[in-house]
Amino acid sequence: MNDNTKFNPDKTVIIDQLQAKVNASPFLLVIDYTGITVPEFTQLRASLAAAGAKCVVAKNTYMVKAIKDAGLPDISAALKGQTAYIMGESDVCAAAKAVNTFAKTSKKAAYKAGILDGAELSPEKITALGDLPSREVLLATLLGTINAAGSALARVIQAYVDKENGGSSEETPAAE
């Protein structure tokens, strides 16, 4: 069990649960939810769920302890006021995109800090992650780039073959 001696024994269960969630997620996004209504918060949670992420509201002191016990960077300076924590199993970009979309439409929910694979993220970097195209678009772009290079190589080889055959692209019959 963690060293949660300054906390009520009942509260250590909450801290341990938060630590387990933090450990299970490759990322942690911290947002300010001041002014967000319950229906808006429900909408944000639904869009995060569709992105494979969850939004958790916890007491800041409990989350500071859970993050510390997990061995993650100290972002306690950002954990002030009304704070919500977003965690997920894989795609930080999809979660950030959901928050970016919500923030643009509602003019609420500002990033405070974040952690990705054990490294601290600034609010600007989290916003940039959310602005990236989807994984599928990035993979399609990569495949197109690889395909273009292969096509260019094939055209160069075909031009060389055509030049060697006297400009004819037809194959020369084999000698008997």
Side-chain angles (χ1 to χ4, degrees):
M1 186 148 141
N2 298 324
D3 179 32
N4 295 326
T5 54
K6 76 175 192 173
F7 294 100
N8 178 327
D10 295 335
K11 305 302 180 187
T12 60
V13 173
I14 297 170
I15 295 168
D16 290 342
Q17 289 174 348
L18 289 171
Q19 182 184 352
K21 288 178 183 180
V22 168
N23 284 333
S25 176
F27 66 90
L28 172 69
L29 305 179
V30 182
I31 63 168
D32 180 354
Y33 71 94
T34 302
I36 298 177
T37 64
V38 172
E40 289 172 331
F41 206 77
T42 302
Q43 175 189 1
L44 175 61
R45 282 186 162 153
S47 63
L48 286 168
K54 289 185 178 183
C55 184
V56 175
V57 176
K59 207 170 173 187
N60 291 331
T61 54
Y62 296 166
M63 189 56 90
V64 167
K65 182 67 175 151
I67 291 170
K68 180 182 175 191
D69 290 348
L72 295 172
D74 180 17
I75 59 169
S76 59
L79 306 186
K80 307 280 188 240
Q82 292 185 320
T83 307
Y85 306 94
I86 299 168
M87 295 166 265
E89 295 180 8
S90 60
D91 194 0
V92 66
C93 294
K97 186 178 294 291
V99 174
N100 286 1
T101 302
F102 177 81
K104 286 176 187 170
T105 59
S106 72
K107 306 292 187 234
K108 301 173 186 173
Y111 293 112
K112 290 183 169 190
I115 300 173
L116 175 61
D117 292 330
E120 187 174 347
L121 295 175
S122 68
E124 296 79 21
K125 287 182 182 177
I126 302 168
T127 301
L129 284 173
D131 291 339
L132 288 174
S134 69
R135 182 178 188 272
E136 292 77 18
V137 170
L138 289 174
L139 288 174
T141 304
L142 177 63
L143 184 60
T145 303
I146 292 170
N147 192 23
S151 296
L153 179 61
R155 285 191 298 274
V156 168
I157 292 171
Q158 186 62 48
Y160 178 78
V161 169
D162 289 348
K163 180 181 172 190
E164 291 297 314
N165 288 337
S168 170
S169 63
E170 296 177 18
E171 292 185 22
T172 308
E176 291 187 27

